[in-house]
Amino acid sequence: MKFGQMSIESEKHILKDPSEAIEYCYQMGWSDGLPVIPPTEEKVQEFLKYVNFNPSEVILVEPVAGRIVTAEKAAVNAVMAGCLPEYFPVVLAALQGMSEPDFNLHGATLQTGGTAVMAIVNGPIVKKIGLNSGTALFCPGNRANSTIGRALHLVLWNCTGNRPDQLDMTIMGHAGRYSMCIAEREESLPMQWNPLHVERGFSKDSSTVTVFTALNPLQTGYAGSSDPKEILINLADTLLSLNPWHRELLIVVSPEILNHFSDAGWSKEDVSNFIFKEARKPARDFRRAHKFRYAYQDHQAKEDTMISILESPSALQIVAGGGEGGTFITVVSPYGIGIYSKSITRKITTD
Amino acid sequence: MATTLNPMVLIDPTVTTIAASSDMAIRPTNLTGLTIGLLNNGKAKADIILDTAYNMLCELYDLPEPVRHSKGSASQPFAQDVIDNVVNECRIAITAIGD
């Protein structure tokens, strides 16, 4: 169904020129601290027409406070973030994922832990809109990565009360709250390894976005060996600083390490099984450090019982990404070790 | 030659909630015999706060056993059936957040 000039329902603000408009956005508290693109009616209409959505269509519902984000509001914030219209389908799919009950939007975005919403994009749309999956993966510099991630957080800022003067209870937080969007570097995966969206039941040629409630990333790396066991022992040691029994734990693995896995014939299951077995320590060590905070299993385990960082091997989510010429793994732990919020993968609709 | 810029029309990006209106429940002046709901937000030590509050009230009033509920997650609301249970079974409810 095609729409002509779509009916915009939101309040309108009249400003005399772009300079005044940018300052006005600051004065109104609409900004995340960085300048925003003034959301003109023309720009908003352009975004809505690109996706062919009725402005009033509900995209996201934050159930606790009863806030509803329509396609119109999503478009306004995507414009402000600096998105191009062709990024908007990714933004919409991500917001819809955040609205699913298992994501637990209220908890995932407003709790004291200060998680960001991390978006991981797979499929043909990565190349189509120029998302970065390689060098400087988590860094500034790519418009699609920066603005898609930013759009999600501006929606939270402006529409669901995720700000210190409203509902946000964050104590520390991290810079991912500005933007945290990556693409998976699918071409670097070893043969027989599936990308994230295929692991989750989508066809390889479909485009998807996975939203994940992310604590601050933790980077580790080991360049002293090409032996997968040596590399993963280094990773396991890093993981031991986390809470036990993660139901989901994300690692982003750089191409050089993936090459080592491939050369040694290791599968994703081999990696997951190894981490499940190696990344463990006695209950006494977790207990002494008060790391049974999210325990949902028997945390009265005997002192010598060896407990894993993972609830099961399948808890480890392995994604390819980052630049070549370096052996690094970025670890991203979710809010509540994956109990209180589950990552959600949604298909991106571009028609 | 000076040019005249057209004014810019910006679309408001915000969503505001409409505050729900409700009346305060009538406070009982005497708690003797009334069932108290103890609602734990699921964080560590909230149970200590609730038990202490209940025990202090027991020193003042003759109270039946309380109705206890605990959320699985501090960041999700109680399930509706729990809320219904508290409304139906309890005269007052005490909530606690611990950490």
Side-chain angles (χ1 to χ4, degrees), chain A residues 11-15 18 30 39-41 65 67 73 76-77 104 107 158-159 293 335, chain B residues 5-17 43 72-77 99:
Chain A
E11 182 182 354
K12 297 175 183 175
H13 306 259
I14 312 296
L15 286 306
W30 297 345
T40 62
E41 183 165 8
R67 301 197 196 201
K73 291 297 183 184
V76 175
N77 284 279
N104 184 14
N158 285 311
C159 301
R293 179 182 176 85
Y335 161 53
Chain B
L5 295 173
N6 291 327
M8 299 181 75
V9 178
L10 303 190
I11 309 302
D12 195 297
T14 63
V15 173
T16 54
T17 52
K43 285 201 170 183
S73 159
S75 60
Q76 287 175 305
D99 218 332

Side-chain angles (χ1 to χ4, degrees), chain A residues 113-135:
Chain A
T115 47
V117 177
M118 180 179 178
I120 306 167
V121 185
N122 284 88
I125 201 167
V126 169
K127 191 173 178 182
K128 181 182 174 185
I129 64 175
L131 276 159
N132 179 31
S133 64
T135 302

Side-chain angles (χ1 to χ4, degrees), chain A residues 55-98:
Chain A
S56 62
E57 184 155 349
V58 174
I59 302 300
L60 176 149
V61 178
E62 198 290 293
V64 176
R67 301 197 196 201
I68 296 172
V69 179
T70 59
E72 177 179 311
K73 291 297 183 184
V76 175
N77 284 279
V79 169
M80 292 170 64
C83 289
L84 292 171
E86 51 263 44
Y87 305 166
F88 195 40
V90 183
V91 173
L92 288 179
L95 292 173
Q96 290 168 328
M98 291 157 62

Side-chain angles (χ1 to χ4, degrees), chain A residues 146-265:
Chain A
S146 295
T147 60
I148 289 170
R150 192 185 186 203
L152 303 183
H153 289 93
L154 281 177
V155 167
L156 298 177
W157 182 265
N158 285 311
C159 301
T160 64
N162 191 0
R163 48 197 296 160
D165 58 347
Q166 291 189 22
L167 301 177
D168 192 4
M169 297 287 110
T170 296
I171 305 301
M172 296 286 187
H174 63 95
R177 283 280 191 94
Y178 283 104
S179 175
M180 197 171 180
C181 175
I182 67 169
E184 181 167 20
R185 189 168 172 152
E186 296 181 28
E187 65 273 21
S188 293
L189 288 166
M191 291 281 284
Q192 310 305 322
W193 283 40
N194 286 323
L196 180 67
H197 63 318
V198 175
E199 293 277 309
R200 291 172 175 227
F202 293 85
S203 65
K204 189 167 171 39
D205 60 359
S206 60
S207 291
T208 66
V209 59
T210 300
V211 286
F212 185 88
T213 169
L215 289 167
N216 49 299
L218 180 63
Q219 185 176 281
T220 187
Y222 177 55
S225 173
S226 60
D227 181 344
K229 289 183 180 177
E230 298 294 317
I231 294 168
L232 292 176
I233 285 173
N234 173 279
L235 172 63
D237 187 76
T238 298
L239 297 180
L240 288 176
S241 68
L242 304 176
N243 291 307
W245 294 317
H246 274 68
R247 192 166 282 176
E248 279 193 331
L249 183 63
L250 174 70
I251 59 171
V252 183
V253 184
S254 66
E256 187 164 325
I257 292 183
L258 293 171
N259 287 341
H260 295 324
F261 292 156
S262 180
D263 291 343

